[in-house]
Structure formats: C-alpha cells, structure tokens
C-alpha cells in the first residue's frame, strides 16, 4: 500500500509544482494516475459485490462550452484543478445516488461510519444537468441579493450521499490549483494520517480519500472496515 510518507511526499511535490505557472502537464499526469488508482479500487470492490459497478463517468463532448457558459453566467472562474478533473477524469462517484444500494451493502456487512454515513468519494461531472442546477442555484441567490454566498457545488454532503437529511453540499470557489473543498471535514476522531493540512483542498481530498481511505473516508476507524480498507489500498499508485 502507499505509505503515509509517500502520500505526504506526493502532496509536497504537488504544492511545490503548482506554485509555478506551468504545471498543467504535471496535473494531468497526477490525474491519470488517480484514474488508475480508482480503476484498481473499482475492480476490487466489484469482486466484493459492491453495487456501484463503475466509479468514473468519462468526460462528455461539449465540456469546454459548458464551462465557458457557466463562468460567463456567474462571472466566477471555476478553479483550474476542477476543470482538469472534468477534462482528464470526468465525474467520480463511489456511491449510488439513485437507489442508495451502497447503504444496504455496508449495513449488511455491519459497517457504519462514525457519523452514520460512508461519505464515498464523489465529484459531479460537468453535464448539462449540473449546468442547469448551477445556473438555477446562482440565479436564486442573485434574486435574494446573496450571490456572494455562491460556490460551485460538486458533491452532496456525507449525509445526503447516504439518503439522510444533511447539510450543505461540498464545493469549491477560490484557489486555482489548490481550491479548498468547502463544507468538508475529515472525521475528527479518526483523522487520516496523511491529512496534514488545517484545510482540505480538492487534490488532497482525492489523494487521501482514495489512497488511505479506499474511497470511503466516512468509514475510517471502523474496526470491521479496517481489514477491507487494507486490502483495497494495497499497491495503489501514488498521485
């Protein structure tokens, strides 16, 4: 498995490289490795009978036009990293947001997160549906003269992912290559060892959630999940 030291070193390298202006090639390489790690997790989860068979939704045609349209509408640039995630990876989801079959899967295994949810990794694709939702969200805030509160929502919170009434969605607003993931926090009692920063940026969220938490940060610390987590993350490539 990726050691904590290797994950920490990858984070340090990411911070150093993104401090320079020419870093797109490095970012894209990191995201391709992220895709490989997710593919390995997908295969291993499928072998367990996990009900989400595909964890990645590839990018769809017209992405650049959708990005341009929403930025023009809101007047707020989408963080560069999120654009690259959409371009290189697409959408990511370790949870079933239609039938919530993953909830029953973990329940049947008697595995429950500390807060009652698994908080599986999820990043919305930039689809027409996402675009329409975001336009509606922004317009609603503008009507109330609270558009300063707007951010780009990219994931339900942990409660909503497991069909439990919850809080505000996770999203980004500022920070080109290290945008803070708003409204997200690691489980306090079982904080990942590789989560060293006081805030969680989008790449750090993906790196730690996938490489240390096997895609389910909400289950970290559960004794029944621990042997599963160790098997899932074995030999994952570091990004």
């Amino acid at each position: 498995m990726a050691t904590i030291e290797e994950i920490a070193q990858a984070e340090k390298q990411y911070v150093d490289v993104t401090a320079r202006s020419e870093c797109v090639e490095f970012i894209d390489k990191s995201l391709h490795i992220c895709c490989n790690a997710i593919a390995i997790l997908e295969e291993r989860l499928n072998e367990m009978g996990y009900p989400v068979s595909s964890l990645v939704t590839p990018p769809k045609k017209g992405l650049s036009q959708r990005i341009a349209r929403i930025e023009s509408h809101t007047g707020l640039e989408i963080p560069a990293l999120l654009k690259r995630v959409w371009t290189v990876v697409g959408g990511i989801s370790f949870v079933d947001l239609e039938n919530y079959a993953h909830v029953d899967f973990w329940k049947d295994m008697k595995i429950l997160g500390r807060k009652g949810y698994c908080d599986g990794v999820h990043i919305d694709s930039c689809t027409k549906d996402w675009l329409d939702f975001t336009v509606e969200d922004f317009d609603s805030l503008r009507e109330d003269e609270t558009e300063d509160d707007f951010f780009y929502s990219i994931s339900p919170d942990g409660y909503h992912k497991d069909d439990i009434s919850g809080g505000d969605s996770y999203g980004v607003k500022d920070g080109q290559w290290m945008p803070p993931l708003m409204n997200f926090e690691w489980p306090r009692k079982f904080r990942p060892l590789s989560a060293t920063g006081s805030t969680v940026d989008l790449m750090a969220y993906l790196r730690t959630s996938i490489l240390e938490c096997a895609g389910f940060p909400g289950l970290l610390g559960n004794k029944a999940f621990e042997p599963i987590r160790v098997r899932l993350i074995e030999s994952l490539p570091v990004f």
Side-chain angles (χ1 to χ4, degrees):
M1 71 182 70
T3 66
I4 300 303
E5 291 75 16
E6 288 173 333
I7 298 173
Q9 181 59 36
E11 179 177 2
K12 181 179 184 303
Q13 183 182 20
Y14 182 86
V15 172
D16 291 343
V17 173
T18 54
R20 303 192 294 268
S21 58
E22 298 298 326
C23 61
V24 174
E25 184 177 350
F26 171 82
I27 297 292
D28 286 1
K29 180 180 179 181
S30 297
L31 291 173
H32 280 298
I33 297 173
C34 176
C35 281
N36 292 339
I38 293 173
I40 294 170
L41 285 174
E42 180 181 293
E43 181 178 358
R44 292 172 179 174
L45 285 166
N46 286 341
E47 290 173 353
M48 292 174 54
Y50 189 66
V52 181
S53 59
S54 180
L55 305 181
V56 171
T57 304
K60 295 184 178 180
K61 292 182 178 179
L63 174 62
S64 59
Q65 290 89 341
R66 289 190 293 276
I67 289 174
R69 179 184 166 192
I70 193 61
E71 287 183 331
S72 174
H73 188 84
T74 63
L76 180 66
E77 184 177 2
I78 296 170
L81 176 59
L82 180 56
K83 294 181 192 179
R84 297 317 300 166
V85 170
W86 283 338
T87 301
V88 176
V89 182
I92 305 170
S93 189
F94 281 62
V95 291
D96 171 14
L97 295 181
E98 292 186 6
N99 300 310
Y100 302 98
H102 66 283
V103 176
D104 290 333
F105 176 84
W106 294 120
K107 183 178 179 181
D108 290 344
M109 297 190 73
K110 295 181 172 55
I111 296 176
L112 186 68
R114 178 173 174 268
K115 292 188 175 181
Y117 53 72
C118 70
D119 208 3
V121 171
H122 180 95
I123 303 291
D124 285 331
S125 299
C126 183
T127 61
K128 182 180 182 300
D129 287 343
W130 179 88
L131 177 67
D132 292 342
F133 165 82
T134 304
V135 167
E136 182 178 348
D137 183 32
F138 177 79
D139 288 349
S140 176
L141 291 171
R142 183 165 55 184
E143 287 178 6
D144 294 336
E145 298 183 347
T146 57
E147 61 264 37
D148 287 346
D149 295 334
F150 174 79
F151 61 91
Y152 288 111
S153 172
I154 58 174
S155 171
D157 77 328
Y159 289 104
H160 283 110
K161 288 177 184 176
D162 280 15
D163 199 23
I164 306 169
S165 179
D168 294 331
S169 60
Y170 305 153
V172 294
K173 184 174 184 177
D174 304 308
Q176 286 291 72
W177 296 113
M178 296 184 64
L181 187 60
M182 301 171 66
N183 302 318
F184 173 83
E185 61 180 19
W186 303 113
R188 293 183 181 178
K189 188 175 180 180
F190 303 109
R191 184 181 176 89
L193 296 176
S194 62
T196 57
S198 58
T199 60
V200 186
D201 66 86
L202 180 56
M203 184 61 93
Y205 162 75
L206 290 173
R207 186 185 298 110
T208 291
S209 294
I210 291 168
L211 298 181
E212 184 177 351
C213 306
F216 303 97
L219 300 182
L220 192 68
N222 182 289
K223 292 182 179 179
F225 179 64
E226 184 59 17
I228 295 172
R229 182 191 72 86
V230 171
R231 291 197 303 271
L232 288 174
I233 66 173
E234 182 180 1
S235 302
L236 292 182
V238 180
F239 59 92

